[in-house]
């Protein structure tokens, strides 16, 4: 008994707030007890009770090659044998930065951090330093990590003067974040017309994928670029989730390059560290060289650019070949077809959404374009669907507002397990809906 997931979760709640190190893991939105994970290899997660699951979370993105890819494990073990961290410059951080610059044509310089949150904090500081202005514009439903100024999403309709989403965020901080509905170019134009000389930056997820997947409307990202350029503001493209996942050079490689635009700053994370704590802010030399010690904008980190994480990231990216992206797209298409067919057969209202190889379902009949629309879905139906899939060996994100992730290790066997589990889960969702 002491080694069951339930026993671990009970122990955890005595010593860790809510039992978890990051909130969504606690299963609050789907109910129940999270399985405790013992190991993960390829596309399979094994819990402490010995049960196997097909993993459709991929550590929330990093496990793009599958878990514990042998080449990444070998290189990282070898790096660790020469110490985890030096607090001094090391070759793998240079090689990883060079790999990023090679892949993403709009990037000249890369500064490593330990989390996407930190990368975003640095990008915001750079934007404010460059523009000499204070106000940041974000879109409701876009997640940019848990820095104070980004925990402001409450907003519908026109610009909402920021009210904090979380106790502990001061009104002084929140008032410098303006929130708009996602995808509304006219609202962004109106905001710039009124407040243009106060806006330091617009930050956007390259593909919003933290409220479920919401494909960017054609021309939306480019409109952000055009308006920020016109008004002297900085464009920050948050590719923490999409970078090196949806394509070799991220969503920018699919959209920006084709349309001829680039943001001033990118943020990267998740895939970039292959599962180790690693993220980055990147961009043109002009703005990035404002960072200390090249310039006056302070930013630092005891563990930043450490040889363990940068080695894991470098070897991961080296294995993210064009073939991998072809496979991820095909696998995403297969999983989408299996789940959509099952939901439709059971009569469950659902809207499959997809951009690049990222996909999710909203449990509603209408396609979702904004956070307010996302919140109209039937999360109870998702909860029933989720638990039935888990019972039958498929590990989904424990929230209706998260993207699903496939990997290079997902093959026919995984698709068969998903196909076998989907019909019962869809029926469970249908009865929860009724
Ligand atoms: C995950 C994520 C972050 C935050 O990264 P952490 O490493 O969790 O701090 C920021 N932006 C986007 C788009 C993300 O998906």
């Amino acid at each position: 008994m002491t080694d069951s997931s339930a026993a671990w979760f009970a122990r955890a709640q005595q010593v860790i707030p809510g039992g978890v190190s990051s909130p969504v893991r606690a299963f609050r939105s789907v109910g129940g007890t999270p399985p405790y994970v013992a190991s993960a290899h390829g596309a399979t997660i094994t819990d402490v009770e010995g049960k196997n699951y097909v993993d459709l979370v991929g550590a929330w993105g990093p496990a793009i090659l599958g878990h514990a890819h042998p080449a990444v494990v070998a290189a990282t073990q070898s790096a660790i044998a020469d110490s985890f961290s030096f607090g001094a410059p090391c070759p793998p951080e240079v090689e990883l930065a060079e790999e990023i610059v090679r892949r993403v044509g709009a990037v000249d310089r890369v500064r490593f951090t330990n989390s996407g949150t930190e990368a975003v904090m640095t990008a915001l500081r750079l934007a404010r330093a460059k523009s000499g202005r204070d106000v940041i514009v974000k879109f409701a439903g876009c997640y940019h990590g848990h820095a104070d100024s980004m925990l402001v999403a409450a907003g519908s309709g026109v610009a909402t003067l920021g009210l904090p989403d979380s106790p502990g965020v001061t009104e002084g901080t929140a008032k410098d974040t303006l929130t708009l509905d996602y995808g509304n170019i006219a609202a962004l134009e109106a905001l710039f017309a009124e407040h243009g000389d106060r806006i330091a930056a617009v930050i956007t997820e390259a593909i919003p994928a933290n409220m479920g997947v919401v494909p960017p409307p054609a021309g939306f990202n480019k409109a952000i670029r055009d308006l920020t350029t016109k008004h002297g503001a900085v464009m920050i493209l948050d590719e923490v989730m999409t970078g090196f996942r949806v394509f070799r050079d991220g969503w920018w490689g699919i959209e920006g390059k084709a349309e001829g635009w680039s943001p001033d700053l990118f943020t990267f994370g998740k895939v970039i560290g292959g599962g180790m704590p690693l993220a980055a802010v990147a961009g043109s030399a002009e703005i990035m060289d404002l960072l200390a010690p090249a310039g006056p904008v302070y930013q630092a980190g005891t563990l930043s650019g450490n040889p363990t994480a940068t080695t894991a990231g470098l070897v991961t990216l080296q294995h993210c070949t064009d073939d991998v992206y072809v496979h991820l797209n095909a696998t995403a298409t297969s999983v989408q077809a299996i789940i959509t067919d099952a939901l439709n057969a059971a009569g469950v209202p659902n809207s499959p959404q997809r951009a690049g190889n990222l996909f999710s379902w909203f449990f509603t009949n209408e396609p979702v374009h904004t956070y307010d629309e996302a919140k109209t879905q039937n999360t109870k139906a998702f909860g029933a669907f989720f638990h039935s899939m888990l019972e039958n060996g498929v590990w989904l994100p424990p929230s209706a507002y998260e993207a699903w992730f496939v990997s290079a290790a997902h093959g026919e066997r995984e698709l068969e397990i998903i196909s076998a589990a989907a019909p019962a889960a869809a029926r469970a969702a249908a009865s929860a809906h009724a």
Side-chain angles (χ1 to χ4, degrees):
M1 178 56 195
T2 51
D3 57 359
S4 71
S5 291
W8 279 111
F9 197 43
R11 279 171 65 179
Q13 280 164 304
Q14 301 303 311
V15 287
I16 301 174
V20 291
S21 298
S22 193
V24 75
R25 298 178 197 169
F27 276 28
R28 290 278 169 97
S29 73
V30 291
T33 298
Y36 270 64
V37 176
S39 64
H41 293 94
T44 304
I45 288 185
T46 306
D47 73 15
V48 292
E49 297 169 31
K51 179 168 173 162
N52 290 330
Y53 308 84
V54 172
D55 179 19
L56 289 173
V57 179
W60 301 99
I64 189 168
L65 301 174
H67 290 276
H69 185 282
V72 179
V73 170
T76 309
Q77 279 175 337
S78 149
I80 285 172
D82 290 325
S83 182
F84 297 93
S85 192
F86 308 132
C90 63
E93 67 182 343
V94 183
E95 292 179 292
L96 179 56
E98 286 171 348
E99 174 72 20
I100 292 163
V101 169
R102 255 195 309 276
R103 280 174 175 252
V104 188
V107 166
D108 306 320
R109 301 273 195 279
V110 181
R111 169 62 60 88
F112 293 113
T113 63
N114 302 303
S115 70
T117 296
E118 279 178 83
V120 167
M121 286 168 56
T122 304
L124 299 177
R125 190 175 304 141
L126 272 171
R128 285 170 164 150
K130 171 107 186 339
S131 64
R133 303 170 182 172
D134 292 344
V135 170
I136 306 291
V137 178
K138 77 178 284 291
F139 299 101
C142 282
Y143 181 67
H144 302 291
H146 59 91
D148 283 359
S149 68
M150 293 289 97
L151 287 183
V152 182
S156 58
V158 268
T160 313
L161 265 189
L163 288 177
D165 260 2
S166 166
V169 176
T170 66
E171 279 173 31
T173 297
K175 80 171 176 28
D176 284 332
T177 304
L178 298 182
T179 307
L180 288 176
D181 267 349
Y182 186 72
N184 188 338
I185 296 177
L188 189 62
E189 278 169 350
L191 185 68
F192 267 108
E194 198 179 338
H195 298 289
D197 57 350
R198 294 172 52 217
I199 296 173
V202 177
I203 184 167
T204 189
E205 282 190 66
I207 301 168
N210 285 286
M211 54 172 151
V213 174
V214 175
F220 183 63
N221 284 325
K222 182 169 187 305
I224 295 173
R225 173 69 288 177
D226 292 344
L227 281 165
T228 47
T229 302
K230 183 172 159 205
H231 291 272
V234 170
M235 177 182 183
I236 304 168
L237 192 68
D238 185 346
E239 294 230 44
V240 169
M241 187 179 296
T242 51
F244 317 108
R245 166 156 286 274
V246 296
F247 199 43
R248 64 187 325 284
D249 42 4
W251 185 249
W252 174 81
I254 292 175
E255 199 185 65
K257 213 160 60 174
E259 295 175 356
W261 58 265
S262 301
D264 301 289
L265 291 170
F266 291 88
T267 49
F268 299 121
K270 299 189 168 104
V271 166
I272 209 184
M276 295 295 290
L278 184 67
V281 54
S284 67
E286 189 205 348
I287 184 162
M288 287 296 294
D289 284 347
L290 292 174
L291 281 178
V297 177
Y298 193 69
Q299 193 277 345
T302 302
L303 298 174
S304 293
N306 73 73
T308 314
T310 51
T311 297
L314 176 64
V315 180
T316 298
L317 287 193
Q318 285 168 343
H319 283 77
C320 286
T321 58
D322 290 351
D323 290 350
V324 165
Y325 296 104
V326 170
H327 178 81
L328 295 179
N329 279 329
T331 307
T333 300
S334 301
V335 175
Q336 255 199 322
I338 293 166
I339 302 297
T340 302
D341 287 353
L343 291 173
N344 289 344
V348 179
N350 74 97
S351 174
Q353 304 212 170
R354 165 128 178 222
N357 56 38
L358 291 174
F359 55 100
S360 71
W361 283 261
F362 289 97
F363 281 64
T364 163
N365 272 327
E366 299 300 321
V368 165
H369 312 93
T370 65
Y371 190 40
D372 282 338
E373 289 175 11
K375 286 186 285 194
T376 65
Q377 69 174 323
N378 182 345
T379 53
K380 209 166 140 237
F382 176 80
F385 182 80
F386 168 86
H387 276 292
S388 177
M389 291 296 277
L390 192 69
E391 180 65 31
N392 289 302
V394 182
W395 183 285
L396 303 181
S399 161
Y401 294 94
E402 303 285 358
W404 300 24
F405 298 89
V406 293
S407 83
H410 286 70
E412 285 307 316
R413 196 186 76 88
E414 284 72 28
L415 294 178
E416 280 163 25
I417 294 170
I418 297 166
S419 295
R427 285 193 299 275
S431 6
H433 189 254

